[in-house]
Coordinates of all heavy atoms in Angstrom, one line a residue:
M280 N 92.8 -41.6 124.8 CA 94.1 -41.7 124.4 C 94.6 -40.2 124.4 O 94.2 -39.2 123.8 CB 94.3 -42.2 123.0 CG 95.6 -42.2 122.4 SD 95.8 -43.3 120.9 CE 95.2 -42.1 119.7
D281 N 95.7 -40.0 125.3 CA 96.2 -38.7 125.5 C 97.5 -38.3 124.7 O 97.9 -37.2 124.6 CB 96.5 -38.3 126.9 CG 96.1 -37.0 127.5 OD1 95.4 -36.3 126.6 OD2 96.5 -36.6 128.4
T282 N 98.1 -39.4 124.2 CA 99.4 -39.2 123.4 C 99.2 -39.8 122.1 O 98.4 -40.6 121.8 CB 100.5 -39.7 124.1 OG1 100.3 -41.1 124.2 CG2 100.7 -39.1 125.5
L283 N 100.1 -39.4 121.1 CA 100.1 -39.8 119.8 C 101.1 -41.1 119.7 O 102.1 -41.0 120.3 CB 100.5 -38.9 118.8 CG 99.7 -37.6 118.6 CD1 100.3 -36.7 117.6 CD2 98.4 -38.0 118.1
T284 N 100.6 -42.1 119.0 CA 101.6 -43.2 118.7 C 102.5 -42.9 117.6 O 102.3 -41.8 116.9 CB 100.7 -44.5 118.3 OG1 100.0 -44.2 117.0 CG2 99.7 -44.9 119.4
D285 N 103.5 -43.7 117.3 CA 104.4 -43.4 116.2 C 103.7 -43.5 115.0 O 104.0 -42.8 113.9 CB 105.5 -44.4 116.3 CG 106.5 -44.1 117.3 OD1 106.6 -43.0 117.8 OD2 107.2 -45.1 117.9
R286 N 102.7 -44.4 114.9 CA 101.8 -44.5 113.7 C 101.1 -43.3 113.4 O 101.0 -42.8 112.3 CB 100.8 -45.7 113.8 CG 99.9 -45.9 112.7 CD 99.0 -47.1 112.9 NE 98.2 -47.5 111.8 CZ 97.0 -47.0 111.6 NH1 96.4 -46.1 112.5 NH2 96.3 -47.2 110.5
D287 N 100.5 -42.6 114.4 CA 99.8 -41.4 114.2 C 100.7 -40.3 113.7 O 100.3 -39.6 112.8 CB 99.2 -40.9 115.6 CG 98.1 -41.9 116.1 OD1 97.4 -42.7 115.2 OD2 97.8 -41.8 117.3
K288 N 101.9 -40.2 114.3 CA 102.9 -39.2 113.9 C 103.2 -39.4 112.4 O 103.4 -38.5 111.7 CB 104.1 -39.2 114.8 CG 103.9 -38.8 116.2 CD 105.0 -39.1 117.1 CE 104.7 -38.6 118.6 NZ 105.9 -38.9 119.4
G289 N 103.4 -40.7 112.0 CA 103.8 -41.0 110.7 C 102.7 -40.7 109.7 O 103.0 -40.2 108.6
I290 N 101.4 -40.8 110.1 CA 100.3 -40.5 109.3 C 100.3 -38.9 109.0 O 100.1 -38.5 108.0 CB 99.0 -41.0 109.9 CG1 98.9 -42.5 109.7 CG2 97.8 -40.3 109.2 CD1 97.9 -43.1 110.4
L291 N 100.5 -38.2 110.2 CA 100.5 -36.7 110.0 C 101.7 -36.2 109.2 O 101.5 -35.3 108.3 CB 100.5 -36.1 111.3 CG 99.3 -36.2 112.3 CD1 99.5 -35.7 113.7 CD2 98.2 -35.3 111.6
K292 N 102.8 -36.9 109.3 CA 103.9 -36.4 108.5 C 103.7 -36.8 107.0 O 104.1 -36.0 106.1 CB 105.3 -37.3 108.9 CG 105.8 -36.7 110.2 CD 107.0 -37.6 110.6 CE 107.5 -37.3 112.0 NZ 108.7 -38.0 112.3
L293 N 103.1 -38.0 106.7 CA 102.8 -38.3 105.4 C 101.8 -37.3 104.7 O 101.9 -37.0 103.6 CB 102.4 -39.8 105.3 CG 102.0 -40.2 103.9 CD1 103.2 -40.3 103.0 CD2 101.4 -41.7 104.1
A294 N 100.9 -36.9 105.6 CA 99.9 -36.1 105.0 C 100.4 -34.7 104.6 O 99.9 -34.1 103.6 CB 98.7 -35.8 106.1
V295 N 101.4 -34.2 105.2 CA 102.0 -32.9 104.7 C 103.2 -33.1 103.8 O 103.7 -32.1 103.4 CB 102.2 -31.9 105.9 CG1 101.0 -31.6 106.6 CG2 103.3 -32.6 106.9
A296 N 103.7 -34.2 103.7 CA 105.0 -34.5 102.8 C 104.6 -34.0 101.3 O 103.5 -34.3 100.8 CB 105.4 -35.8 102.8
P297 N 105.5 -33.3 100.7 CA 105.4 -33.0 99.4 C 105.4 -34.1 98.4 O 106.3 -34.9 98.4 CB 106.6 -32.0 99.0 CG 107.7 -32.5 100.0 CD 106.9 -33.0 101.3
Y298 N 104.4 -34.3 97.6 CA 104.3 -35.2 96.5 C 103.8 -34.6 95.2 O 102.9 -33.6 95.3 CB 103.3 -36.4 96.9 CG 103.8 -37.4 97.8 CD1 103.7 -37.2 99.2 CD2 104.5 -38.5 97.4 CE1 104.1 -38.1 100.2 CE2 105.0 -39.4 98.3 CZ 104.8 -39.2 99.6 OH 105.3 -40.2 100.5
K299 N 104.3 -35.0 94.2 CA 103.9 -34.4 92.8 C 102.4 -34.8 92.6 O 101.7 -34.0 92.0 CB 104.8 -34.9 91.8 CG 104.6 -34.2 90.4 CD 105.7 -34.6 89.4 CE 105.4 -33.8 88.2 NZ 106.5 -34.1 87.2
Y300 N 102.1 -36.1 92.8 CA 100.7 -36.6 92.6 C 100.1 -37.1 93.8 O 100.8 -37.8 94.7 CB 100.7 -37.7 91.5 CG 101.4 -37.3 90.2 CD1 102.7 -37.7 89.9 CD2 100.7 -36.4 89.4 CE1 103.3 -37.3 88.8 CE2 101.4 -36.0 88.1 CZ 102.6 -36.4 87.9 OH 103.1 -36.1 86.7
P301 N 98.9 -36.8 94.1 CA 98.1 -37.3 95.3 C 98.1 -38.8 95.5 O 98.2 -39.4 96.5 CB 96.8 -36.8 95.3 CG 96.8 -35.5 94.4 CD 98.0 -35.9 93.4
A302 N 98.0 -39.4 94.2 CA 98.0 -40.9 94.4 C 99.1 -41.5 94.9 O 99.2 -42.6 95.5 CB 97.8 -41.5 92.9
A303 N 100.3 -41.0 94.7 CA 101.6 -41.5 95.2 C 101.6 -41.4 96.8 O 102.0 -42.3 97.5 CB 102.8 -40.6 94.8
R304 N 101.0 -40.4 97.4 CA 100.8 -40.3 98.9 C 99.9 -41.4 99.4 O 100.2 -42.0 100.4 CB 100.4 -38.9 99.3 CG 100.1 -38.8 100.6 CD 99.4 -37.5 101.0 NE 99.7 -36.4 99.9 CZ 100.3 -35.4 100.1 NH1 100.6 -35.0 101.2 NH2 100.5 -34.6 99.1
E305 N 98.9 -41.5 98.7 CA 97.9 -42.5 99.1 C 98.4 -43.9 98.9 O 98.1 -44.8 99.7 CB 96.6 -42.3 98.3 CG 95.9 -41.0 98.7 CD 94.9 -40.5 97.7 OE1 94.7 -41.3 96.6 OE2 94.1 -39.5 98.0
R306 N 99.3 -44.2 97.9 CA 99.8 -45.4 97.7 C 100.8 -45.7 98.8 O 100.8 -46.9 99.4 CB 100.6 -45.6 96.3 CG 101.1 -46.9 96.0 CD 101.8 -47.0 94.7 NE 101.3 -46.1 93.6 CZ 101.9 -45.1 93.2 NH1 103.2 -44.8 93.6 NH2 101.4 -44.4 92.2
Q307 N 101.5 -44.8 99.3 CA 102.4 -44.9 100.4 C 101.7 -45.2 101.6 O 102.1 -46.0 102.5 CB 103.3 -43.8 100.5 CG 104.4 -44.0 101.6 CD 105.4 -43.0 101.7 OE1 105.6 -42.1 100.7 NE2 106.4 -43.0 102.7
A308 N 100.5 -44.5 101.9 CA 99.7 -44.8 103.0 C 99.3 -46.2 103.0 O 99.2 -46.9 104.1 CB 98.5 -43.9 103.0
T309 N 98.9 -46.8 101.9 CA 98.5 -48.1 101.8 C 99.7 -49.1 102.2 O 99.5 -50.1 102.9 CB 97.9 -48.4 100.4 OG1 96.8 -47.6 100.2 CG2 97.5 -49.9 100.4
E310 N 100.8 -48.8 101.7 CA 101.9 -49.6 101.8 C 102.5 -49.5 103.2 O 102.8 -50.6 103.9 CB 103.2 -49.3 100.9 CG 102.9 -49.6 99.6 CD 103.8 -48.9 98.5 OE1 104.8 -48.3 99.0 OE2 103.6 -49.1 97.3
E311 N 102.5 -48.3 103.8 CA 103.1 -48.2 105.2 C 102.1 -48.4 106.2 O 102.5 -49.1 107.3 CB 103.5 -46.6 105.3 CG 105.0 -46.5 105.5 CD 105.4 -45.1 105.8 OE1 105.7 -44.5 104.7 OE2 105.4 -44.6 106.9
F312 N 101.0 -48.1 106.1 CA 99.9 -48.2 107.3 C 98.8 -49.1 106.9 O 98.0 -49.3 107.8 CB 99.4 -46.7 107.6 CG 100.5 -45.8 107.9 CD1 100.7 -44.7 107.0 CD2 101.2 -45.9 109.1 CE1 101.8 -43.9 107.3 CE2 102.2 -45.0 109.3 CZ 102.5 -43.9 108.4
G313 N 98.7 -49.6 105.8 CA 97.6 -50.5 105.4 C 96.2 -49.9 105.4 O 95.3 -50.5 105.6
L314 N 96.3 -48.6 105.1 CA 95.0 -47.8 104.9 C 94.7 -47.5 103.5 O 95.5 -47.2 102.7 CB 95.2 -46.5 105.7 CG 95.5 -46.5 107.2 CD1 95.8 -45.1 107.7 CD2 94.2 -47.0 107.9
S315 N 93.3 -47.6 103.2 CA 92.9 -47.2 102.0 C 93.0 -45.7 101.9 O 93.1 -45.0 102.9 CB 91.4 -47.8 101.6 OG 90.6 -46.9 102.5
P316 N 92.9 -45.1 100.6 CA 93.0 -43.6 100.5 C 91.9 -42.9 101.4 O 92.1 -42.0 102.1 CB 92.8 -43.4 99.0 CG 93.4 -44.6 98.4 CD 93.0 -45.8 99.3
V317 N 90.7 -43.4 101.3 CA 89.6 -42.8 102.2 C 89.9 -42.9 103.6 O 89.8 -42.0 104.4 CB 88.2 -43.5 101.8 CG1 87.1 -43.0 102.7 CG2 87.9 -43.2 100.3
N318 N 90.3 -44.1 104.1 CA 90.6 -44.3 105.5 C 91.8 -43.4 105.9 O 91.9 -43.0 107.1 CB 90.9 -45.8 105.8 CG 89.6 -46.6 105.7 OD1 88.6 -46.1 105.8 ND2 89.8 -47.9 105.5
F319 N 92.7 -43.2 105.1 CA 94.0 -42.5 105.3 C 93.5 -41.1 105.6 O 93.9 -40.5 106.7 CB 95.0 -42.5 104.2 CG 96.0 -41.4 104.3 CD1 97.0 -41.6 105.3 CD2 96.2 -40.4 103.5 CE1 98.1 -40.7 105.5 CE2 97.1 -39.4 103.6 CZ 98.1 -39.5 104.6
W320 N 92.7 -40.3 104.7 CA 92.1 -39.1 105.0 C 91.2 -38.9 106.1 O 91.3 -38.0 106.8 CB 91.7 -38.6 103.7 CG 92.8 -38.3 102.7 CD1 93.0 -39.0 101.5 CD2 93.9 -37.3 102.8 NE1 94.0 -38.4 100.8 CE2 94.7 -37.5 101.7 CE3 94.2 -36.4 103.8 CZ2 95.8 -36.7 101.4 CZ3 95.3 -35.7 103.6 CH2 96.1 -35.8 102.4
Q321 N 90.5 -39.9 106.4 CA 89.6 -39.9 107.7 C 90.5 -39.9 108.8 O 90.2 -39.2 109.8 CB 88.7 -41.1 107.6 CG 87.6 -41.1 106.7 CD 86.7 -42.4 106.6 OE1 87.3 -43.4 107.1 NE2 85.6 -42.3 106.1
E322 N 91.6 -40.8 108.8 CA 92.5 -40.8 109.9 C 93.2 -39.5 110.1 O 93.4 -38.9 111.2 CB 93.5 -41.9 109.8 CG 94.2 -42.3 111.0 CD 93.6 -42.9 112.1 OE1 92.4 -43.3 111.9 OE2 94.1 -42.9 113.2
V323 N 93.6 -38.8 109.0 CA 94.3 -37.5 109.1 C 93.3 -36.4 109.7 O 93.7 -35.7 110.5 CB 94.7 -37.0 107.7 CG1 95.1 -35.6 107.7 CG2 95.9 -37.9 107.2
N324 N 92.0 -36.4 109.3 CA 91.0 -35.5 109.8 C 90.8 -35.8 111.3 O 90.6 -34.8 112.2 CB 89.7 -35.6 109.0 CG 89.9 -34.9 107.8 OD1 90.5 -33.9 107.7 ND2 89.2 -35.5 106.6
R325 N 90.8 -37.1 111.7 CA 90.6 -37.4 113.1 C 91.8 -36.8 113.9 O 91.5 -36.2 115.0 CB 90.5 -38.9 113.3 CG 90.2 -39.2 114.8 CD 90.2 -40.8 114.9 NE 91.6 -41.4 114.8 CZ 92.5 -41.3 115.7 NH1 92.3 -40.7 116.8 NH2 93.7 -41.8 115.4
L326 N 93.0 -37.0 113.6 CA 94.1 -36.7 114.2 C 94.3 -35.1 114.1 O 94.7 -34.6 115.2 CB 95.4 -37.2 113.5 CG 95.6 -38.7 113.7 CD1 96.7 -39.4 112.8 CD2 95.9 -39.0 115.2
T327 N 93.8 -34.5 113.2 CA 93.8 -33.0 113.1 C 93.1 -32.4 114.3 O 93.4 -31.3 114.8 CB 93.4 -32.5 111.8 OG1 94.1 -33.1 110.7 CG2 93.4 -31.0 111.7
D328 N 92.0 -33.1 114.6 CA 91.1 -32.6 115.8 C 91.6 -33.0 117.1 O 91.0 -32.7 118.2 CB 89.7 -33.0 115.5 CG 89.1 -32.4 114.3 OD1 89.5 -31.4 114.0 OD2 88.2 -33.1 113.7
H329 N 92.7 -33.8 117.3 CA 93.2 -34.3 118.4 C 94.0 -33.4 119.1 O 95.1 -32.9 118.5 CB 93.9 -35.7 118.2 CG 94.1 -36.5 119.3 ND1 94.9 -36.3 120.4 CD2 93.6 -37.8 119.7 CE1 94.9 -37.2 121.3 NE2 94.1 -38.2 120.8
P330 N 93.9 -33.0 120.4 CA 94.7 -32.0 121.0 C 96.2 -32.5 121.1 O 97.1 -31.6 121.1 CB 94.0 -32.0 122.4 CG 92.7 -32.5 122.3 CD 92.7 -33.4 121.3
A331 N 96.4 -33.8 121.3 CA 97.8 -34.2 121.4 C 98.6 -34.0 120.1 O 99.8 -33.8 120.1 CB 97.8 -35.7 121.8
A332 N 97.9 -34.0 119.0 CA 98.6 -33.8 117.8 C 99.0 -32.3 117.6 O 100.1 -32.0 117.2 CB 97.6 -34.2 116.5
Y333 N 98.2 -31.4 118.2 CA 98.5 -30.0 118.1 C 99.8 -29.8 119.1 O 100.6 -29.0 118.7 CB 97.4 -29.1 118.7 CG 97.7 -27.7 118.5 CD1 97.6 -27.0 117.3 CD2 98.0 -26.9 119.6 CE1 97.9 -25.7 117.2 CE2 98.4 -25.6 119.5 CZ 98.3 -25.0 118.3 OH 98.6 -23.7 118.2
R334 N 99.7 -30.5 120.2 CA 100.8 -30.3 121.1 C 102.2 -30.9 120.6 O 103.3 -30.3 120.7 CB 100.6 -31.0 122.5 CG 99.6 -30.3 123.3 CD 99.6 -30.8 124.7 NE 99.2 -32.2 124.8 CZ 98.0 -32.7 124.9 NH1 97.0 -31.8 124.9 NH2 97.7 -33.9 124.9
W335 N 102.0 -31.9 119.7 CA 103.2 -32.6 119.2 C 103.8 -31.7 118.0 O 105.0 -31.5 118.0 CB 102.8 -34.0 118.6 CG 103.9 -34.6 117.8 CD1 105.0 -35.2 118.2 CD2 103.9 -34.8 116.4 NE1 105.8 -35.6 117.2 CE2 105.1 -35.5 116.0 CE3 103.0 -34.6 115.4 CZ2 105.5 -35.8 114.8 CZ3 103.3 -34.8 114.1 CH2 104.5 -35.5 113.8
D336 N 103.0 -31.2 117.1 CA 103.5 -30.4 116.0 C 102.4 -29.4 115.6 O 101.6 -29.7 114.7 CB 103.9 -31.3 114.8 CG 104.7 -30.6 113.8 OD1 104.7 -29.2 113.9 OD2 105.1 -31.1 112.8
P337 N 102.4 -28.2 116.1 CA 101.3 -27.2 115.9 C 101.3 -26.8 114.4 O 100.3 -26.5 113.8 CB 101.6 -26.1 116.8 CG 102.6 -26.4 117.7 CD 103.2 -27.7 117.3
Q338 N 102.6 -26.5 113.8 CA 102.5 -26.2 112.5 C 101.9 -27.2 111.5 O 101.1 -26.7 110.7 CB 104.0 -26.0 112.0 CG 104.5 -24.6 111.9 CD 105.9 -24.5 111.4 OE1 106.7 -25.3 111.7 NE2 106.1 -23.5 110.7
T339 N 102.2 -28.5 111.6 CA 101.5 -29.5 110.8 C 100.1 -29.5 110.9 O 99.2 -29.5 110.0 CB 102.2 -30.8 111.1 OG1 103.6 -30.8 110.8 CG2 101.5 -31.9 110.3
V340 N 99.7 -29.5 112.2 CA 98.2 -29.5 112.5 C 97.4 -28.2 111.9 O 96.4 -28.4 111.3 CB 97.9 -29.7 114.0 CG1 96.4 -29.6 114.3 CG2 98.4 -31.1 114.5
N341 N 98.1 -27.2 112.1 CA 97.4 -25.9 111.5 C 97.3 -26.0 110.0 O 96.4 -25.6 109.5 CB 98.2 -24.6 112.1 CG 97.9 -24.3 113.4 OD1 96.8 -24.6 114.0 ND2 98.8 -23.6 114.1
L342 N 98.4 -26.4 109.4 CA 98.4 -26.6 107.9 C 97.3 -27.5 107.4 O 96.5 -27.1 106.5 CB 99.9 -27.1 107.5 CG 99.9 -27.3 105.9 CD1 99.7 -26.1 105.2 CD2 101.2 -28.0 105.6
L343 N 97.2 -28.7 108.1 CA 96.1 -29.6 107.7 C 94.7 -29.0 108.0 O 93.8 -29.3 107.2 CB 96.4 -30.9 108.5 CG 97.5 -31.7 108.1 CD1 97.8 -32.8 109.0 CD2 97.4 -32.2 106.6
F344 N 94.6 -28.2 109.0 CA 93.4 -27.7 109.4 C 93.0 -26.6 108.4 O 91.9 -26.6 108.0 CB 93.4 -27.2 110.8 CG 92.0 -26.6 111.3 CD1 91.1 -27.4 111.7 CD2 91.8 -25.2 111.4 CE1 89.8 -26.9 112.2 CE2 90.6 -24.7 111.8 CZ 89.7 -25.6 112.2
R345 N 93.9 -25.8 108.0 CA 93.6 -24.8 107.0 C 93.2 -25.4 105.7 O 92.3 -25.0 104.9 CB 94.8 -23.8 106.8 CG 95.0 -22.8 107.9 CD 95.9 -21.8 107.6 NE 97.3 -22.2 107.0 CZ 98.3 -22.6 107.7 NH1 98.3 -22.4 109.0 NH2 99.4 -22.9 107.1
R346 N 94.0 -26.5 105.2 CA 93.6 -27.2 104.1 C 92.2 -27.7 104.1 O 91.4 -27.6 103.1 CB 94.6 -28.4 103.7 CG 95.9 -27.9 103.3 CD 96.8 -29.1 103.1 NE 98.1 -28.7 102.8 CZ 99.1 -29.7 102.6 NH1 98.9 -30.9 102.8 NH2 100.3 -29.2 102.3
R347 N 91.8 -28.3 105.3 CA 90.4 -28.8 105.3 C 89.4 -27.7 105.3 O 88.4 -27.9 104.6 CB 90.3 -29.5 106.7 CG 89.0 -30.3 106.9 CD 88.9 -31.1 108.1 NE 89.0 -30.3 109.3 CZ 89.1 -30.9 110.5 NH1 89.2 -32.2 110.7 NH2 89.2 -30.1 111.5
I348 N 89.6 -26.6 105.9 CA 88.7 -25.5 105.9 C 88.5 -24.9 104.5 O 87.5 -24.7 104.0 CB 89.2 -24.4 106.8 CG1 89.0 -24.8 108.3 CG2 88.2 -23.1 106.6 CD1 87.7 -25.2 108.7
H349 N 89.7 -24.8 103.8 CA 89.7 -24.3 102.5 C 89.0 -25.2 101.4 O 88.2 -24.8 100.6 CB 91.1 -24.1 102.0 CG 91.3 -23.5 100.6 ND1 90.9 -22.2 100.3 CD2 91.6 -24.1 99.5 CE1 91.1 -22.0 99.0 NE2 91.5 -23.2 98.5
R350 N 89.1 -26.5 101.7 CA 88.5 -27.6 100.9 C 87.0 -27.5 101.0 O 86.1 -27.8 100.2 CB 89.0 -28.9 101.2 CG 88.5 -30.0 100.4 CD 89.0 -31.4 100.9 NE 88.4 -31.7 102.1 CZ 89.1 -32.0 103.3 NH1 90.4 -32.1 103.2 NH2 88.6 -32.2 104.4
D351 N 86.6 -27.3 102.4 CA 85.2 -27.5 102.8 C 84.4 -26.2 102.5 O 83.1 -26.3 102.4 CB 85.0 -27.9 104.3 CG 85.4 -29.4 104.4 OD1 85.6 -30.1 103.5 OD2 85.6 -29.7 105.6
R352 N 85.0 -25.1 102.4 CA 84.3 -23.8 102.3 C 83.3 -23.7 101.2 O 82.1 -23.3 101.3 CB 85.4 -22.6 102.2 CG 84.8 -21.4 102.3 CD 85.7 -20.3 102.5 NE 86.4 -20.3 103.8 CZ 87.7 -20.0 104.0 NH1 88.4 -19.4 103.0 NH2 88.2 -20.1 105.2
P353 N 83.7 -24.2 99.9 CA 82.7 -24.1 98.8 C 81.4 -24.9 99.1 O 80.3 -24.7 98.8 CB 83.4 -24.6 97.6 CG 84.9 -24.4 97.9 CD 85.0 -24.5 99.4
R354 N 81.7 -26.1 99.7 CA 80.5 -27.0 100.1 C 79.6 -26.4 101.1 O 78.4 -26.4 101.1 CB 81.0 -28.3 100.6 CG 81.5 -29.3 99.5 CD 81.7 -30.6 100.0 NE 83.1 -30.5 100.5 CZ 83.8 -31.5 101.0 NH1 83.4 -32.7 101.0 NH2 85.0 -31.4 101.4
L355 N 80.2 -25.7 102.0 CA 79.4 -25.1 103.2 C 78.6 -24.0 102.5 O 77.5 -23.7 102.9 CB 80.3 -24.6 104.3 CG 81.0 -25.7 105.1 CD1 82.0 -25.1 106.1 CD2 79.8 -26.5 105.8
A356 N 79.2 -23.1 101.6 CA 78.6 -21.9 101.1 C 77.3 -22.5 100.2 O 76.3 -21.8 100.3 CB 79.6 -21.2 100.2
S357 N 77.4 -23.5 99.5 CA 76.4 -23.9 98.8 C 75.2 -24.5 99.6 O 74.0 -24.4 99.2 CB 76.8 -25.1 97.8 OG 77.1 -26.2 98.5
R358 N 75.5 -25.0 100.8 CA 74.4 -25.4 101.7 C 73.6 -24.1 102.2 O 72.4 -24.2 102.5 CB 75.0 -26.1 102.8 CG 75.4 -27.5 102.5 CD 75.8 -28.2 103.8 NE 76.7 -29.3 103.4 CZ 77.5 -30.0 104.1 NH1 77.7 -29.6 105.5 NH2 78.2 -31.0 103.7
I359 N 74.3 -23.0 102.5 CA 73.7 -21.8 103.0 C 72.8 -21.2 102.0 O 71.7 -20.7 102.3 CB 74.8 -20.9 103.6 CG1 75.4 -21.6 104.7 CG2 74.2 -19.6 103.9 CD1 76.8 -20.7 105.1
L360 N 73.1 -21.2 100.7 CA 72.3 -20.5 99.6 C 71.1 -21.2 99.4 O 70.5 -22.0 99.5 CB 73.2 -20.2 98.4 CG 74.5 -19.5 98.6 CD1 75.2 -19.5 97.3 CD2 74.1 -18.0 99.0

């Protein structure tokens, strides 16, 4: 798959949309896309690594990538020690 579907673009937009509580975003993901919270974030991570997503909106993909790196950094550090 070389291009993003409207669904993929919607998932990326939802992932960076401002929400006061994370549960609200996950609830909307369930209502809009039929994804459980875990599946939603798995899909976001899959799309973040997709070259077409970067071509579509580099700012969004970079933001999600930085968030993922920041979130994973403590776990990676604990594995090294």
Side-chain angles (χ1 to χ4, degrees):
M280 179 166 81
D281 218 15
T282 60
L283 294 180
T284 64
D285 289 337
R286 179 179 185 268
D287 294 340
K288 292 174 185 177
I290 289 171
L291 288 172
K292 286 180 188 177
L293 181 60
V295 295
Y298 282 90
K299 188 172 182 179
Y300 302 107
R304 176 188 334 242
E305 294 165 355
R306 187 177 328 108
Q307 185 169 352
T309 300
E310 293 169 0
E311 239 179 274
F312 304 110
L314 296 171
S315 71
V317 170
N318 290 339
F319 170 70
W320 289 112
Q321 286 174 341
E322 192 70 11
V323 168
N324 283 327
R325 184 188 68 78
L326 290 169
T327 301
D328 295 332
H329 200 290
Y333 185 81
R334 285 191 303 270
W335 172 70
D336 189 353
Q338 251 185 328
T339 297
V340 172
N341 281 333
L342 175 65
L343 291 168
F344 186 74
R345 283 193 316 267
R346 284 182 185 172
R347 182 173 67 187
I348 294 299
H349 182 69
R350 181 189 69 231
D351 289 346
R352 191 170 289 151
R354 283 186 277 188
L355 292 174
S357 68
R358 288 184 196 163
I359 293 171
L360 299 177

